[in-house]
Amino acid sequence: MKNNGVIRLVSLIFVLAVVVFGGCRKVTVTQEEIRAFIEDYEQSAEFLDRQEASNRWQFVVTGYSDSLEHYRDLAAAFATRIEWYSQSQKYAGLIEDKNLLAKLELIRRRSIRGIIDRSPAVARLMDSLTAVFRQFQPVFESKPDTVARLEQVLASDSNRFRRQDAWMALAALGEQTAGGVTQLMKLRNRAAARIGFNSYYDLMLSADGLDKSEYLGWLREWDRLSAEPYRRALDSVARDLGGENLRPWDIDFARGNLNPVEYYPVEQQVPRLKSTLMGIGFNLDKWPIYFANGAIPAEDPSGGVIKVHIPDDIRVATALAAGPEPLGKLLSQAGRALYAAHINQNDFLLAQPPAPCFEWGMGKMMKGLAALDAWKLKYAAIPEPTIIEAAARRRFMLLHDLRLMLVHLSFEYEMYKNPTNDLHQVYRELFERYMMFPYPEKVKDWAVQLDYIVNPVGMQNRLVGAGIAAQVYHYLMEKNGAVLDQPQTGEFLANSLWRSGGAQTWQDLLLQVTGEKFNPRYLMEYPGL
């Protein structure tokens, strides 16, 4: 009996040893298996991206597509497969091949975004909230009105009380959306926690190739650099408007007519686009970029640039109108399209931009050309006295818009950090700190920011993109003495910045071509980007 007991004990020890040591044994994965995983992802993602983009284009230019919802559903089912994220994360720790590592990182970043934003609960709430935005009708002076007309009141009505009423009527949308926006934040945070992130905010910065501590440092630096110039400009504008403290409903009126619409007729927008790009070495007609009139929904993240297949099928939906803003958008779209058309990579993943901020930066490179005084003199034929007269007010508005962006970005960080806080009070404190004038009580204007719903933790890509463009401008000014009407500008962009696609991080690429790491101070040299 004693021997049987000893035998059972030895057998048990042997079995436990097999389990323990077998479980600790390192699982070996061959490069061939990792390549097969990447190829499987690329083939499926490329097919779905192309089909969804083609059908979205059809919908944008015709108003109808019988297959768009079908391919969106397929893309959602593909994007929400957790194994894409978990496997890419695991494989990245097992290899050293730089090309494969770059692809795995791009898969990881694409998949963590899809896991949450394509999930049914989040998607349903997003759709519900965007429907509220579309259906909203403000009430002004006791009767229903339109958003467009109230925006006109804010921009041109000299009666301050009417402007206040118009602003409050538009802000009333926040009462309808605040609860849903808060619930959406909580849903996203819970989903992010399930895959190991402290918050959805942390997840999205990772997905967009941004280091959180570094990025928050940039925000602090932009705050530091802009605070005193903004304060001086704010005091000057307040004196111009009668010496009273500004309020949110005064800003559009203070903006005034900085770039008179009559200098930007609709029939000249496309010719000026083409001649501006020709001046820096790009003949737009020679590239596979197709323009068509189309209405881009506010919630569409493409910004009207639909990349059916990089680099040989890029489509741009334009809403041509008179004025400097439509021209700026057109130039930005053309810059993003030209960038995509110049990417020289055979693989689907490496043919994608390294990060959204870098793609936005390339658009802002082109948009910024029309903000230069030299462009206004030559291409828009605005008289020099008119340009000089508006310079101080333009500087104020650029600083105002930068600091308002800092409000929105800082609030979004705080919102995901603790969505159970009194978000109105958080927003109000941030607004008054950055904008340096009072914000009304009990108004949930923060909840009317559509970006928080459809472009979550995405606004920073436009600001960082402007910083990237400003650094490139600074480099080209030092090297060539000018950016506008310099063929070297286009040559530099095409050969040094655009060809590599996603093969390099944007930080490494910027360091390589400009000789220094991303430096936020250059945005203060070119705030119009």
Side-chain angles (χ1 to χ4, degrees), residues 36-56:
F37 167 80
I38 292 172
E39 185 177 339
D40 184 25
Y41 180 91
E42 282 193 299
Q43 288 179 347
S44 299
E46 181 174 13
F47 171 78
L48 290 169
D49 273 20
R50 185 180 293 197
Q51 295 303 319
E52 189 176 0
S54 297
N55 282 277
R56 187 163 75 249

Side-chain angles (χ1 to χ4, degrees), residues 452-525:
Y452 292 151
I453 299 167
V454 301
N455 184 32
V457 196
M459 285 186 287
Q460 79 283 341
N461 289 316
R462 298 199 287 271
L463 182 57
V464 176
I468 292 170
Q471 185 160 332
V472 175
Y473 264 64
H474 175 84
Y475 172 80
L476 290 172
M477 289 296 292
E478 290 286 308
K479 183 180 179 182
N480 301 326
V483 177
L484 183 69
D485 293 329
Q486 292 287 324
Q488 301 98 311
T489 297
E491 183 180 342
F492 171 81
L493 293 173
N495 296 328
S496 299
L497 279 179
W498 289 354
R499 292 192 181 279
S500 60
Q504 287 179 274
T505 67
W506 70 267
Q507 295 95 328
D508 287 346
L509 184 57
L510 195 64
L511 172 61
Q512 176 183 307
V513 301
T514 68
E516 63 177 313
K517 293 174 63 176
F518 177 70
N519 191 333
R521 73 179 177 87
Y522 291 126
L523 186 57
M524 301 310 298
E525 291 183 17

Side-chain angles (χ1 to χ4, degrees), residues 36-88:
F37 167 80
I38 292 172
E39 185 177 339
D40 184 25
Y41 180 91
E42 282 193 299
Q43 288 179 347
S44 299
E46 181 174 13
F47 171 78
L48 290 169
D49 273 20
R50 185 180 293 197
Q51 295 303 319
E52 189 176 0
S54 297
N55 282 277
R56 187 163 75 249
W57 174 260
Q58 183 183 8
F59 179 80
V60 164
V61 298
T62 68
Y64 175 77
S65 171
D66 58 359
S67 300
L68 180 57
E69 288 304 315
H70 170 69
Y71 283 109
R72 277 183 173 165
D73 290 343
L74 288 178
F78 175 79
T80 52
R81 286 171 56 185
I82 189 67
E83 58 266 29
W84 295 128
Y85 170 72
S86 58
Q87 291 291 89
S88 60

Side-chain angles (χ1 to χ4, degrees), residues 140-298:
F140 178 61
E141 297 179 335
S142 302
K143 58 180 182 291
D145 216 314
T146 66
V147 170
R149 201 184 83 80
L150 295 194
E151 289 175 344
Q152 184 61 34
V153 170
L154 287 171
S156 61
D157 199 313
S158 60
N159 186 318
R160 198 182 194 199
F161 294 107
R162 291 192 82 238
R163 294 201 307 270
Q164 179 178 353
D165 289 346
W167 189 89
M168 297 294 284
L170 292 173
L173 172 60
E175 291 294 332
Q176 301 178 34
T177 57
V181 172
T182 304
Q183 180 60 24
L184 189 58
M185 306 305 110
K186 294 176 180 177
L187 278 177
R188 287 169 172 160
N189 268 352
R190 285 200 291 268
R194 286 197 292 270
I195 57 174
F197 286 88
N198 291 329
S199 71
Y200 178 78
Y201 189 90
D202 291 2
L203 176 148
M204 286 299 289
L205 288 185
S206 177
D208 287 344
L210 295 171
D211 176 85
K212 179 181 173 182
S213 61
E214 193 174 40
Y215 163 68
L216 294 177
W218 299 338
L219 295 189
R220 290 191 295 271
E221 182 68 357
W222 281 318
D223 176 24
R224 184 187 70 81
L225 291 169
S226 64
E228 191 52 38
Y230 171 71
R231 189 189 307 276
R232 292 195 301 268
L234 181 67
D235 290 344
S236 175
V237 169
R239 287 194 299 271
D240 291 345
L241 293 182
E244 298 184 78
N245 286 332
L246 294 187
R247 294 293 189 274
W249 42 85
D250 295 323
I251 298 303
D252 286 339
F253 184 71
R255 191 181 303 269
N257 195 13
L258 295 177
N259 295 300
V261 173
E262 60 266 26
Y263 292 105
Y264 298 83
V266 65
E267 66 273 12
Q268 285 296 316
Q269 303 288 50
V270 171
R272 286 179 182 171
L273 165 73
K274 291 184 175 183
S275 58
T276 301
L277 295 177
M278 188 70 78
I280 60 170
F282 293 120
N283 184 343
L284 202 55
D285 294 329
K286 290 188 175 181
W287 292 94
I289 301 171
Y290 310 97
F291 289 81
N293 285 325
I296 303 296

Side-chain angles (χ1 to χ4, degrees), residues 365-385:
M365 279 288 304
M366 302 307 173
K367 179 182 178 182
L369 295 173
L372 299 172
D373 288 348
W375 186 95
K376 294 173 185 176
L377 284 168
K378 176 180 177 179
Y379 290 90
I382 300 177
E384 188 170 10

